[in-house]
Amino acid sequence: MTLSTRAFTLYLMSGFSLAGLFALLITNHQHKPPSFSFSSSRYGSLTHKVWPELELSWRLVLATVIGFLGSAFGTVGGVGGGGIFVPMLTLLLGFDSKSAAALSKCMIMGASASSVWYNLRVPHPTKEVPILDYDLALLFQPMLMLGITVGVSLSVVFPYWLITILIIILFIGTSSRSFFKGIEMWRAETYMKKEIAKQEETLVDSCGHVIIDSKYEPLIPKEEKTTMQTLCLNFNWKRMLELIVVWVSFLLVQIIKNDVEVCSAWYWVLFSLQLPIALGVFGYEAVKLYREHNKRMSTGNLENICEASIAWTALNLAFCALCGILGGTVGGLLGSGGGFILGPLLIEIGVIPQVASATATFVMMFSSSLSVVEFYLLNRFPIPYALCLTSVSVLAGFWGQFFVRRLIKFLGRASIIIFILSGVIFASALTMGVVGIEKSIQMIHNHEFMGFLGFCTSQ
């Protein structure tokens, strides 16, 4: 872990700790709410649903445009775009916050699924390996799903203003960090371009003739793989099956848990069952990376085990576990796919932007689809709107990847992905921040309770 990474981690921990202490101070100075008065979470009442009719209007057109752009840029950056979708659905279309979060998951699922399909047909930019890093996906997916469960639970406990503060701290920090990473990579790309230009100049004489003998030209040109060959290389059946098993395990626990009385003994047993599932899969993959790293170091082989360029030490693996849970928790609080942490994290640990975007989107496809299935079983979103917005996101995810990949190939700068990632996170910080501050001010004027709610009484 580099010094800058440690400083960034310290920034996040300090900000979250101060926000938590401030929340406790405010809660202690307020009267406790009556047990019957606060059955609503930050998403609104569990029984009160606001589902506008699906009809052609300027609001629907504008929401479609915003959804298309948010999905396109969000999937390219590997962050999903939930921080843009939720305010759009509540402020522009008029959905209640809980339904907006559910629809946001539908849009993220559609965009990430189409992006994964596109990326499966794209070769790795530098190596003869899959562009999806299955090792990293298996390392982060279980912790991300565990974090989403925790985040959904905390969303009914945490006060709205505290969630807003945590979002601003997290998003401003990650967007700034990603932006500076993008600048570093842009400068490195500029240096490489200048070096290549100098080498090309040495092969040309004063008259403009190329000084190179035909015997030095490559006799065998680089073999271009067909789309089907690339698809077969990128699609690993065994690793994909492992990810699906984890997905199904979490889904079954959620389905059974929803039919159990909240806060009963069986509820907590099922809730706790997710912990060994997540830790078991994460531990298996972590031990594998740790042993392979030590084996390579002992033999003097400095080649990276996977796309990440960090040393797989116990400290770094613990850091990845913490970030995975944090990303999932944010996803559960916001109705996003957790990519706001995973995308910048993959860049931070040395994964090249193309692979970071593809892998983060791949993991989000599983985490968001899990939430969509659960929301569908609970009847938390209107099907016509879900089909409409998901269709828009499917198209946006595919064409967003298409145009940005073409732009990267034309300019020769993969740092564009990092700047897009940073921009989407910063835009989400602004939209969620403005909406959160406005809602908090309204709650203050209405003299609403601003402290922590009880978990069992708020379900």
Side-chain angles (χ1 to χ4, degrees), residues 41-121:
S41 69
R42 82 176 195 89
Y43 298 115
S45 174
L46 296 179
T47 57
H48 181 60
K49 298 176 182 177
V50 182
W51 291 358
E53 292 291 332
L54 180 60
E55 54 185 9
L56 183 63
S57 64
W58 68 268
R59 291 178 179 274
L60 180 61
V61 173
L62 182 57
T64 301
V65 173
I66 295 175
F68 185 91
L69 295 176
S71 297
F73 289 113
T75 51
V76 167
V79 295
I84 297 175
F85 299 150
V86 174
M88 174 199 75
L89 292 167
T90 54
L91 298 180
L92 195 58
L93 296 180
F95 281 95
D96 64 281
S97 297
K98 196 170 189 66
S99 300
L103 285 171
S104 171
K105 291 285 190 179
C106 295
M107 297 177 70
I108 295 171
M109 180 191 68
S112 58
S114 62
S115 296
V116 169
W117 170 245
Y118 180 88
N119 288 324
L120 285 173
R121 300 159 61 249

Side-chain angles (χ1 to χ4, degrees), residues 30 54 89 118 127 172-173 210 218 307 390-391 411:
Q30 282 192 320
L54 180 60
L89 292 167
Y118 180 88
K127 305 176 184 177
I172 293 297
V210 178
E307 292 293 335
T390 303
S391 300
L411 298 178

Side-chain angles (χ1 to χ4, degrees), residues 147-285:
I148 288 176
T149 303
V150 175
V152 171
S153 301
L154 292 179
S155 67
V156 301
V157 177
F158 279 27
Y160 195 95
W161 64 267
L162 177 59
I163 295 176
T164 301
I165 292 177
L166 296 180
I167 289 171
I168 293 174
I169 292 173
L170 181 63
F171 284 13
I172 293 297
T174 52
S175 64
S176 301
R177 179 64 182 166
S178 299
F179 181 74
F180 289 119
K181 276 282 185 179
I183 293 177
E184 292 177 8
M185 188 170 185
W186 181 278
R187 290 173 178 172
E189 291 168 340
T190 302
Y191 176 79
M192 291 296 297
K193 284 178 172 289
K194 290 180 179 179
E195 289 297 316
I196 293 174
K198 288 180 181 179
Q199 293 178 5
E200 291 178 349
E201 289 177 0
T202 59
L203 300 178
V204 180
D205 60 16
S206 59
C207 298
H209 299 113
V210 178
I211 309 174
I212 186 170
D213 195 354
S214 59
K215 66 180 180 180
Y216 294 109
E217 296 179 358
L219 298 177
I220 302 176
K222 182 179 179 181
E223 181 183 358
E224 292 292 337
K225 292 184 180 293
T226 63
T227 302
M228 183 56 65
Q229 289 174 328
T230 303
L231 181 62
C232 293
L233 176 64
N234 285 329
F235 196 89
N236 188 320
W237 283 98
K238 180 181 177 182
R239 308 295 269 174
M240 186 72 75
L241 184 60
E242 292 174 352
L243 289 164
I244 292 175
V245 168
V246 176
W247 183 87
V248 172
S249 300
F250 272 90
L251 178 62
L252 290 176
V253 171
Q254 292 300 318
I255 292 176
I256 298 173
K257 184 167 64 71
N258 287 332
D259 293 330
V260 177
E261 183 183 355
V262 177
C263 291
S264 65
W266 277 111
Y267 179 90
W268 290 116
V269 169
L270 291 170
F271 190 92
S272 303
L273 188 60
Q274 299 170 111
L275 188 61
I277 295 175
L279 291 180
V281 178
F282 174 85
Y284 172 80
E285 193 64 31

Side-chain angles (χ1 to χ4, degrees), residues 228-418:
M228 183 56 65
Q229 289 174 328
T230 303
L231 181 62
C232 293
L233 176 64
N234 285 329
F235 196 89
N236 188 320
W237 283 98
K238 180 181 177 182
R239 308 295 269 174
M240 186 72 75
L241 184 60
E242 292 174 352
L243 289 164
I244 292 175
V245 168
V246 176
W247 183 87
V248 172
S249 300
F250 272 90
L251 178 62
L252 290 176
V253 171
Q254 292 300 318
I255 292 176
I256 298 173
K257 184 167 64 71
N258 287 332
D259 293 330
V260 177
E261 183 183 355
V262 177
C263 291
S264 65
W266 277 111
Y267 179 90
W268 290 116
V269 169
L270 291 170
F271 190 92
S272 303
L273 188 60
Q274 299 170 111
L275 188 61
I277 295 175
L279 291 180
V281 178
F282 174 85
Y284 172 80
E285 193 64 31
V287 169
K288 175 187 172 184
L289 291 175
Y290 180 79
R291 288 178 176 175
E292 288 184 0
H293 173 75
N294 288 341
K295 182 178 179 180
R296 290 175 182 271
M297 292 298 101
S298 63
T299 58
N301 185 358
L302 300 180
E303 182 183 358
N304 295 333
I305 301 170
C306 56
E307 292 293 335
S309 59
I310 66 170
W312 289 113
T313 61
L315 180 61
N316 287 341
L317 287 168
F319 172 73
C320 290
L322 176 63
C323 290
I325 294 178
L326 180 60
T329 302
V330 174
L333 288 172
L334 295 184
S336 66
F340 289 100
I341 292 291
L342 185 57
L345 175 62
L346 293 178
I347 297 294
E348 186 70 31
I349 62 179
V351 181
I352 62 175
Q354 297 97 317
V355 178
S357 171
T359 304
T361 306
F362 181 55
V363 174
M364 275 195 303
M365 180 183 69
F366 286 98
S367 61
S368 60
S369 60
L370 176 68
S371 300
V372 168
V373 174
E374 184 179 0
F375 282 136
Y376 172 77
L377 295 174
L378 296 174
N379 192 27
R380 292 282 172 82
F381 56 82
I383 301 300
Y385 259 106
L387 293 176
C388 175
L389 295 175
T390 303
S391 300
V392 171
S393 297
V394 168
L395 294 175
F398 184 89
W399 289 109
Q401 293 284 351
F402 177 83
F403 285 115
V404 171
R405 299 285 180 176
R406 292 294 185 275
L407 182 62
I408 291 173
K409 186 176 181 180
F410 176 74
L411 298 178
R413 293 185 180 274
S415 56
I416 294 174
I417 293 179
I418 303 181

Side-chain angles (χ1 to χ4, degrees), residues 419-436:
F419 287 120
I420 292 175
L421 180 150
S422 175
V424 172
I425 297 178
F426 184 74
S428 300
L430 291 179
T431 54
M432 296 298 293
V434 169
V435 171

